Amino acid sequence: MNEQDTDNRFEFLKGDKVLWMVILVISIFSIFPVYSASSNLEYIVNNGTTTGHVIKHMFFVVLGLGIMRVVGMVKYEYIGKLSSILLGLMIVLLVITMFTGQTIDGASASRWLKIPGTPISFQPSSFAFLMLIIYLCRYLTKKITRERLPIENIMYIFGPILLVFVLVAKDNGSTALMILMVSVVVLIIGQLHWKYIAGFISSSLIAIVLFLLVALNTNLIGGNRVHTWMSRIETFTSSKAKAADVDDESIKAKNYQVMMAKAAIVHGGVTGMGPGKSALKQMLPQSASDFIFAVIVEEYGVIGATFLISMYLIMMIRIVMIASKMPAFFGSLLVLSLGVMIFIQLSVNIAVAVNLIPVTGQPLPLISYGGTSMLVTYLQLGIILNISSRIQIYDEEGMGKKQSIAEINDIA
């Protein structure tokens, strides 16, 4: 009787219960650093109030958890079948954003698209990234029965990847590079022949070099941020080469964000200054989003950072376990691909905060303040939980039956 009551109690948390618990813990924890760091938006950026920002963040947390649950009620196969239509819609929105995109919260890139008649803005690039990965997973599964012709790979695999990359790259270089990286990983996991993958990587590198040369030396690509990217890379390499030259004022000025982030991390020490007691959050640009990890370390110390990273590690382990137990090829590929997206994003955010890579604009999953990124992450996790709820045990050893090619194609 007690066991039955426990099962009913957790019925709402459909899917992997451990992953659900990790998501809930991170989501609840995110409220505290966002509340603390958003004071920067009120007093320095002069945008809203701290209370208003934390209420907005909590709204997106609740909305995201609701989206996760709703996604769990829809067959993930249907999501795969709709991905090509949704990807097409996102491409249209990316084109519109290129001409009518807006900036918010002091950002320098026009990445946001405002919904007409409302004050709501969102980043189409985040949704386009997600739809592209789902589309690739389905296409690779659907065409697993035979060797694809080169023209098919160009039109239906490489074409969509490069199209989304080009549309995103103008205003969001880091996300564009992540799109290429994750796409290549998906192609490898999806068992595309190595010669096509090698050819795609080579072509992409050539395309990137040509894009940079044209953007740096001509005015054909108006409003691009290539000069900003090059400046960040130059600043990063200069700071590493001249780390001992503390009197180099030019390096200090250009590397201000990273210097403040490193100072906050050092100030936090082992135990941290305590919740809400960050001394450097007011001097750290984007403290509630891109550099929130530094605020977390300052307030909660190495202990708090280790706890958070452990939560992410458990999340990644559960995702790999779900993928390994899922007998459906499409489901397994999709889980791994979405897990790679989340892993790369959190790795980039933390790497920037500790000055391992140049500054980018990637948020910390489920933590950073911002609606679009949070909702996309919750949507990713909702799909993963959906797939985890579909895992079936066929025998005492817990081994699932092997799928036939017909079953794979029917699912995809």
Side-chain angles (χ1 to χ4, degrees), residues 94-284:
L94 286 176
V95 174
I96 296 174
T97 305
M98 289 184 66
F99 298 100
T100 64
Q102 300 180 342
T103 61
I104 62 173
D105 294 338
S108 58
S110 302
R111 304 170 183 169
W112 286 265
L113 190 63
K114 186 175 181 180
I115 300 177
T118 71
I120 302 174
S121 298
F122 68 100
Q123 291 191 62
S125 58
S126 298
F127 290 102
F129 188 5
L130 175 59
M131 289 303 112
L132 174 64
I133 298 306
I134 298 175
Y135 164 81
L136 289 176
C137 291
R138 181 186 182 250
Y139 185 81
L140 290 169
T141 305
K142 186 67 177 177
K143 299 297 182 178
I144 201 172
T145 55
R146 61 180 175 83
E147 178 73 14
R148 284 175 290 271
L149 298 174
I151 188 63
E152 290 182 292
N153 290 328
I154 294 173
M155 290 182 59
Y156 301 113
I157 297 180
F158 305 144
I161 296 173
L162 292 177
L163 180 58
V164 174
F165 169 80
V166 170
L167 293 175
V168 172
K170 177 177 172 290
D171 291 305
N172 199 339
S174 59
T175 298
L177 288 177
M178 287 173 57
I179 288 172
L180 284 183
M181 291 172 58
V182 176
S183 297
V184 170
V185 174
V186 173
L187 298 183
I188 293 173
I189 302 174
Q191 301 178 17
L192 184 66
H193 197 284
W194 65 267
K195 65 181 180 182
Y196 294 118
I197 297 176
F200 174 67
I201 294 175
S202 301
S203 301
S204 299
L205 291 176
I206 294 173
I208 291 173
V209 171
L210 290 175
F211 175 82
L212 293 176
L213 289 175
V214 172
L216 289 172
N217 298 291
T218 71
N219 295 321
L220 296 177
I221 307 177
N224 68 81
R225 287 170 49 82
V226 174
H227 290 281
T228 301
W229 309 337
M230 301 305 292
S231 176
R232 288 178 175 178
I233 294 173
E234 181 182 356
T235 300
F236 175 77
T237 55
S238 298
S239 65
K240 291 295 185 180
K242 301 180 180 180
D245 190 358
V246 295
D247 296 324
D248 194 323
E249 295 299 328
S250 63
I251 293 179
K252 286 184 178 181
K254 293 181 179 179
N255 216 32
Y256 176 78
Q257 296 180 90
V258 173
M259 289 178 62
M260 290 297 100
K262 291 169 68 176
I265 291 173
V266 172
H267 191 222
V270 177
T271 58
M273 306 304 297
K277 296 182 180 179
S278 168
L280 296 171
K281 61 188 177 186
Q282 305 298 359
M283 295 178 284
L284 182 60

Side-chain angles (χ1 to χ4, degrees), residues 313-346:
L313 180 60
I314 294 173
M315 177 187 293
M316 292 300 109
I317 291 174
R318 298 304 298 184
I319 289 175
V320 172
M321 291 177 63
I322 292 168
S324 65
K325 292 180 179 180
M326 185 65 191
F329 181 79
F330 175 55
S332 180
L333 176 60
L334 185 54
V335 168
L336 284 177
S337 301
L338 297 179
V340 169
M341 288 180 67
I342 297 172
F343 176 76
I344 290 180
Q345 183 177 327
L346 74 90

